[in-house]
């Protein structure tokens, strides 16, 4: 009898531990993100493959709501564990809702699973593992910072947010980087930071106010000597015809045939005030003008209509080619993050908030 009781106790204990591990696994996957995959015009039909029904479900938006195989409802969900949209598979579930005459196809995906489809789209597999780990932390923090329960979705799947390509993009090395940094985010003042990144700083990162009109203490201009990529230096010719079109599209009326002339630079050396075709543009708007001209970076000199510049992207936060160079020089991902986000904490993302330990140089 005692032996039977002992066996029963061990069975109950095993069940308890298994349940605890399952709960821990669910918690460690982090919050569920709502990622907008597509906006479908009203009346256009798309197909979803759902594993439970082992078949294709046809859906479209209608004035009355979401049409799914002949039934109209205000909102429709499939819980997963995966689905396929127009040939591409995604982890998690899918939510369909009609808004403004369009069908929103939203992926409901755990944070860590989401990163498996983001990292391969944002940083090449050939980059060192420590650079990939740094990118994983930054991408995770970017996503957490965008959580917004009042909106119909948190993130989009395009470069306007972070590029997210789902299951087909997943690769072993990227997955290793995500797993090695599981649940880690950058924080400042107990909150996940605005974790921005770009391709190549051109040797000097930009302050956040140069591009986004808000000065953040952890996004300051600083030298980036390890940033050496294919667009660390470049030359391009600006077309006067394109310049005319860009100015008009931005609401300006060209007044002359004057080529670009830099009148003032930001603390990082980027264009801060520019005169073009007789129109003077200043601040972040000047940098937007430079990018709209098709130039990779606002870290640029003009010689007539010839542009000579350095770097690619807005220059704020993590430089991906700089992270690669630092990793190749022997720096770990914590040191890489400390360089680009000075004064931040590397924190564990918990359901109740952020628990962090100071590590980055202030």
């Amino acid at each position: 009898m005692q032996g039977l009781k002992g066996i029963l106790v061990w069975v109950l204990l095993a069940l308890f531990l298994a349940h605890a591990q399952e709960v821990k696994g669910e918690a460690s996957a982090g919050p569920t993100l709502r990622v907008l995959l597509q906006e479908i015009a009203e009346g256009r039909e798309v197909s979803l493959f759902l594993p439970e029904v082992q078949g294709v479900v046809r859906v479209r938006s209608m004035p009355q709501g979401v049409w799914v195989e002949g039934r109209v409802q205000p909102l429709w969900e499939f819980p997963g564990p995966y689905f396929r949209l127009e040939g591409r598979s995604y982890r998690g579930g899918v939510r369909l809702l009609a808004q403004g005459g369009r069908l929103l196809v939203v992926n409901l995906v755990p944070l860590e699973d989401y990163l498996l489809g983001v990292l391969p789209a944002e940083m090449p597999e050939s980059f060192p593992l420590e650079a990939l780990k740094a990118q994983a932390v930054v991408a995770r923090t970017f996503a957490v910072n965008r959580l917004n329960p009042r909106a119909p979705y948190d993130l989009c799947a395009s470069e306007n947010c972070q590029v997210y390509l789902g299951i087909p993009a997943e690769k072993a090395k990227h997955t290793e980087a995500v797993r090695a940094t599981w649940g880690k985010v950058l924080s400042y003042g107990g909150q996940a930071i605005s974790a921005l990144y770009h391709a190549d700083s051109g040797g000097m990162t930009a302050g956040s106010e140069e591009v986004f009109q808000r000065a953040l203490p952890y996004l300051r201009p600083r030298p980036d000597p390890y940033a050496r990529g294919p667009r660390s230096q470049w030359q391009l010719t600006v077309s006067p015809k394109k310049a005319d079109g860009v100015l008009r599209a931005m609401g300006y009326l060209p007044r002359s045939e004057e080529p670009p002339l830099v009148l003032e630079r930001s603390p990082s050396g980027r264009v801060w005030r520019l005169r073009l075709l007789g129109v003077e543009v200043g601040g972040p708007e000047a940098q937007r003008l430079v990018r709209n001209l098709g130039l990779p970076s606002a870290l640029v000199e003009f010689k007539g209509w010839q542009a000579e510049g350095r770097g690619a992207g807005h220059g704020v936060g993590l430089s991906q080619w700089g992270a690669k160079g630092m990793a190749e020089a022997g720096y770990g991902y914590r040191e890489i993050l400390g360089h680009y986000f000075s004064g931040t904490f590397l924190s564990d993302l918990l359901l109740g908030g952020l628990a962090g330990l100071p590590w980055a140089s202030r």
Side-chain angles (χ1 to χ4, degrees):
M1 190 69 176
Q2 291 296 326
L4 184 59
K5 285 182 179 179
I7 292 172
L8 182 60
V9 168
W10 279 109
V11 169
L12 291 173
L13 180 61
L15 290 172
F16 172 80
L17 291 174
H19 175 69
Q21 187 64 35
E22 182 180 352
V23 171
K24 180 181 177 184
E26 290 175 357
S28 67
T32 296
L33 301 179
R34 298 164 304 154
V35 184
L36 177 67
L37 300 179
Q38 284 191 32
E39 290 187 64
I40 310 298
E42 188 174 298
R44 182 189 156 213
E45 189 174 289
V46 295
S47 299
L48 293 169
F49 175 83
L50 310 177
E52 270 191 6
V53 298
Q54 291 296 312
V56 174
V57 174
R58 297 170 299 131
V59 301
R60 64 174 178 261
S61 173
M62 298 183 69
Q64 304 92 331
V66 179
W67 182 93
V68 182
E69 292 293 344
R71 293 184 58 193
V72 179
Q73 46 201 307
L75 181 144
W76 183 87
E77 285 189 11
F78 172 73
Y82 76 92
F83 66 96
R84 192 157 64 239
L85 171 65
E86 296 186 333
R88 182 172 292 272
S89 299
Y90 298 90
R91 294 176 182 270
V94 62
R95 173 182 293 166
L96 305 177
L97 61 155
Q99 187 176 82
R102 303 179 75 82
L103 177 68
L104 305 186
V105 183
V106 179
N107 186 193
L108 308 175
V109 57
L111 172 60
E112 299 298 329
D113 287 347
Y114 161 76
L115 293 173
L116 300 180
V118 167
L119 218 60
E122 293 290 358
M123 184 172 276
E125 189 179 20
S126 60
F127 277 30
L129 182 60
E130 292 303 305
L132 291 171
K133 289 179 186 178
Q135 178 69 61
V137 173
V138 172
R140 183 181 293 110
T141 309
F142 180 92
V144 170
N145 185 262
R146 295 289 292 268
L147 290 171
N148 183 6
R150 290 170 295 187
Y153 55 88
D154 303 304
L155 297 141
C156 57
S158 72
E159 60 187 11
N160 291 329
C161 302
Q162 297 186 122
V163 180
Y164 169 57
L165 298 177
I167 295 174
E170 295 178 12
K171 292 183 171 61
K173 191 173 178 182
H174 294 101
T175 299
E176 182 182 356
V178 172
R179 300 292 190 233
T181 61
W182 192 273
K184 297 293 184 186
V185 295
L186 291 168
S187 68
Y188 186 91
Q191 301 291 325
I193 70 167
S194 181
L196 302 173
Y197 57 95
H198 59 281
D200 187 338
S201 71
M204 174 66 76
T205 67
S208 57
E209 70 279 8
E210 297 183 36
V211 181
F212 302 103
Q213 300 182 321
R214 183 184 173 196
L216 296 171
Y218 49 81
L219 291 174
R220 312 309 319 134
R222 64 185 311 165
D224 191 23
Y226 291 99
R228 301 186 189 96
R231 289 190 290 180
S232 290
Q233 291 188 318
W234 46 264
Q235 291 185 346
L236 288 170
T237 300
V238 177
S239 159
K241 183 178 179 181
K242 180 170 184 177
D244 183 283
V246 166
L247 282 171
R248 291 179 187 276
M250 293 177 66
Y252 298 102
L253 183 63
R255 302 187 184 95
S256 73
E257 297 181 358
E258 180 185 17
L261 177 64
V262 179
L263 303 175
E264 185 181 350
R265 295 190 178 276
S266 70
S268 72
R270 287 166 171 80
V271 172
W272 193 244
R273 199 155 55 93
L274 180 72
R275 191 162 63 232
L276 174 63
L277 298 182
V279 177
E280 192 171 309
V281 183
E285 185 80 344
Q287 296 202 9
R288 188 163 77 92
L289 171 58
V290 170
R291 291 194 298 274
N292 288 348
L293 290 172
L295 303 181
S297 164
L299 200 57
V300 59
E301 300 271 2
F302 291 101
K303 297 178 180 178
W305 292 100
Q306 185 73 11
E308 298 180 359
R310 307 196 312 273
H314 51 62
V316 182
L318 178 91
S319 164
Q320 293 172 317
W321 280 92
K324 176 181 184 288
M326 288 187 70
E328 289 172 343
Y331 291 98
Y333 82 95
R334 294 169 181 265
E335 295 168 297
I336 294 171
L337 294 171
H339 174 73
Y340 292 108
F341 303 96
S342 179
T344 60
F345 293 72
L346 188 61
S347 305
D348 290 318
L349 177 62
L350 304 176
L351 295 180
L354 296 170
L357 296 172
W359 61 275
S361 59
R362 292 187 179 275

